[in-house]
Amino acid sequence: MAEGTNRDVVAARIKLETGTVLQSFKNIDTGAKGNADAFKALNAELSTAEKSYKNISSAMDKMALTADQRRQKILAEVEAQHKQKLAQTALLGAKAQQLEQTNRLIDAKMQAQQALIQTA
């Protein structure tokens, strides 16, 4: 009888194991489907990110063009400031010559007055 009982136990174990195998395959199939869905979502996210990077790249190209235009504008402003400084320098030089000429006139007048005082 012990042998018959052992067979029943082995048969019950095999039956139990096959029952769990079917459930395990169902779990694996569900997991694989879940993974497929996750990969689809991941691919969609990657596609969206790629589009975003392309948009950012396009915007950076526009910014680079704008930066070049800004650089040209800055160079033009620097050149205008340089010309303004040269004009100011020339104006200060003209004022200095005018003051020098005024000083010479005053010196000449003072010498003339001193000459008048000495002759008198």
Side-chain angles (χ1 to χ4, degrees), residues 11-86:
R13 283 186 182 168
I14 290 174
K15 191 174 183 181
L16 180 66
E17 288 173 5
T18 26
T20 57
V21 168
L22 182 61
Q23 183 61 38
S24 297
F25 279 125
K26 285 182 183 179
N27 289 342
I28 290 170
D29 186 51
T30 304
K33 287 179 182 176
N35 285 344
D37 291 339
F39 278 115
K40 285 179 186 177
L42 180 62
N43 284 336
E45 284 292 324
L46 288 173
S47 177
T48 303
E50 186 177 354
K51 287 177 185 177
S52 296
Y53 286 133
K54 285 181 182 178
N55 289 339
I56 290 170
S57 175
S58 175
M60 291 301 287
D61 288 344
K62 289 178 184 176
M63 286 179 63
L65 180 64
T66 305
D68 188 44
Q69 290 173 346
R70 275 190 250 146
R71 185 183 62 82
Q72 289 175 356
K73 184 179 178 181
I74 289 170
L75 287 174
E77 288 175 0
V78 167
E79 186 178 347
Q81 287 176 349
H82 180 68
K83 288 179 180 178
Q84 184 181 11
K85 295 288 183 183
L86 288 175

